[in-house]
């Protein structure tokens, strides 16, 4: 997606999440008013913000899925191939969000008293849940090659932040034309397609049969092999 479309995706998901938070606040207000401060700040609050984070990820993923699905329904798929996973920076952004949810108080006033056992246990559980979601997401994302597009689609639960758009594409769920591909290079068991203007790359797992399919369609589209100096 262009920077504009990605920003729209982010802010649409953000405002939907804010609306969801408001509904949750109204529903659970009677309960929240009757619990003590320790339980609220060390158990209830972190759980709620973890739920909000996961809800935000689901909303972004759903919007991406709807967008790419429309192109899949309108196109004839030549072949389908598995993407080569998430890069580390994607995971770090989400892990950082979890760390902030559970330990932001340490940045304001560092104290051992701020680290409670329930908070640590919930942090570990949240970390494991997020990791499970990312693994499921990673397995669901494929590249679909059609005559006019390369469509990356699946349940993509990665966070998208507008501040990193434009130079960090790595198998982002989107619809790419072959004109978006500058060149490519085939490695032993994967292929990298490099986007124009150094925006990033698309990486796919391959075998010998898929390698032949890639070379055929890329040659047809007059996309050259990358030359490393």
């Amino acid at each position: 997606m262009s920077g504009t479309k990605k920003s729209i995706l982010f802010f649409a998901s953000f405002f939907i999440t804010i609306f969801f938070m408001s509904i949750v606040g109204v529903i659970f207000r009677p309960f929240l008013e009757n619990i003590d401060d320790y339980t609220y700040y060390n158990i209830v609050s972190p759980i709620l913000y973890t739920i909000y984070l996961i809800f935000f990820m689901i909303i972004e993923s759903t919007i991406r899925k709807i967008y790419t699905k429309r192109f899949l329904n309108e196109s004839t798929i030549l072949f389908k191939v598995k993407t080569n996973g998430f890069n580390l920076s994607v995971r770090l952004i989400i892990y950082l969000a979890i760390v902030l949810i559970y330990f932001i108080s340490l940045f304001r006033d560092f104290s051992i008293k701020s680290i409670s056992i329930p908070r640590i246990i919930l942090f570990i559980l949240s970390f494991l849940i997020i990791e499970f979601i990312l693994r499921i997401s990673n397995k669901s994302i494929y590249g679909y090659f059609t005559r006019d597009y390369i469509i990356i689609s699946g349940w993509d639960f990665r966070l998208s932040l507008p501040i990193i758009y434009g130079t960090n594409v790595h198998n982002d769920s989107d619809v790419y034309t072959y004109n978006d591909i500058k060149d490519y290079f085939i490695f032993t068991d994967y292929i990298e397609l490099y986007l124009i203007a150094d925006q990033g790359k698309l990486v796919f797992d391959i075998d010998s049969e898929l390698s032949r399919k890639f070379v055929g369609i890329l040659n047809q589209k007059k996309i050259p092999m990358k030359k490393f100096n």
Side-chain angles (χ1 to χ4, degrees), residues 5 75 79-80 84 97 178 181 212:
K5 285 190 291 184
S75 305
F79 61 93
K80 168 185 172 182
N84 191 247
Y178 290 97
I181 309 301
R212 288 193 295 271

Side-chain angles (χ1 to χ4, degrees), residues 42-224:
N42 290 285
I43 300 176
V44 177
S45 179
I47 288 176
L48 285 177
Y49 279 102
T50 301
I51 291 172
Y52 299 150
L53 173 63
I54 294 173
F55 181 83
F56 180 86
M57 294 165 64
I58 292 172
I59 291 299
E60 276 202 330
S61 178
T62 301
I63 295 174
R64 290 191 190 103
K65 182 77 171 176
I66 293 172
Y67 174 73
T68 56
K69 189 70 173 178
R70 178 169 64 88
F71 283 87
L72 285 173
N73 291 336
E74 296 173 354
S75 305
T76 299
I77 298 172
L78 302 177
F79 61 93
K80 168 185 172 182
V81 61
K82 183 72 183 70
T83 59
N84 191 247
F86 299 160
N87 57 4
L88 180 60
S89 63
V90 168
R91 293 179 180 273
L92 289 178
I93 291 172
I94 301 176
Y95 297 154
L96 177 60
I98 290 294
V99 169
L100 290 175
I101 287 173
Y102 286 91
F103 300 112
I104 193 170
S105 59
L106 294 179
F107 295 95
R108 296 195 300 263
D109 180 24
F110 183 80
S111 172
I112 298 300
K113 294 180 180 179
S114 301
I115 308 177
S116 65
I117 297 300
R119 187 180 289 265
I120 293 174
I121 293 173
L122 288 172
F123 169 73
I124 295 172
L125 289 175
S126 298
F127 187 92
L128 293 175
I129 290 170
I130 291 294
E131 180 62 24
F132 175 76
I133 290 173
L134 289 178
R135 287 178 183 270
I136 296 298
S137 177
N138 183 31
K139 291 180 180 180
S140 78
I141 300 174
Y142 283 83
Y144 299 84
F145 283 72
T146 72
R147 285 187 172 81
D148 300 313
Y149 305 108
I150 301 171
I151 304 170
I152 309 296
S153 184
W155 289 108
D156 190 346
F157 290 108
R158 290 173 286 185
L159 286 179
S160 293
L161 303 177
I163 58 173
I164 63 172
Y165 288 151
T167 59
N168 199 36
V169 173
H170 186 95
N171 295 336
D172 291 9
S173 291
D174 200 356
V175 178
Y176 305 87
T177 69
Y178 290 97
N179 291 330
D180 292 323
I181 309 301
K182 180 175 65 175
D183 47 27
Y184 72 95
F185 196 83
I186 298 177
F187 296 88
T188 304
D189 55 357
Y190 66 96
I191 183 171
E192 293 186 346
L193 309 184
Y194 305 99
L195 301 177
I196 58 175
D198 297 322
Q199 295 178 76
K201 59 188 177 182
L202 310 178
V203 188
F204 304 100
D205 295 330
I206 60 170
D207 53 26
S208 57
E209 181 181 351
L210 281 172
S211 179
R212 288 193 295 271
K213 291 181 179 180
F214 268 106
V215 171
I217 193 167
L218 294 174
N219 286 341
Q220 181 183 350
K221 299 297 181 179
K222 296 181 169 43
I223 299 173

Side-chain angles (χ1 to χ4, degrees), residues 24-46:
V24 172
V26 170
I27 294 174
F28 288 96
R29 182 174 297 165
F31 168 74
L32 297 177
E33 290 176 348
N34 294 320
I35 62 175
D36 59 90
D37 289 345
Y38 179 88
T39 302
Y40 177 78
Y41 287 109
N42 290 285
I43 300 176
V44 177
S45 179

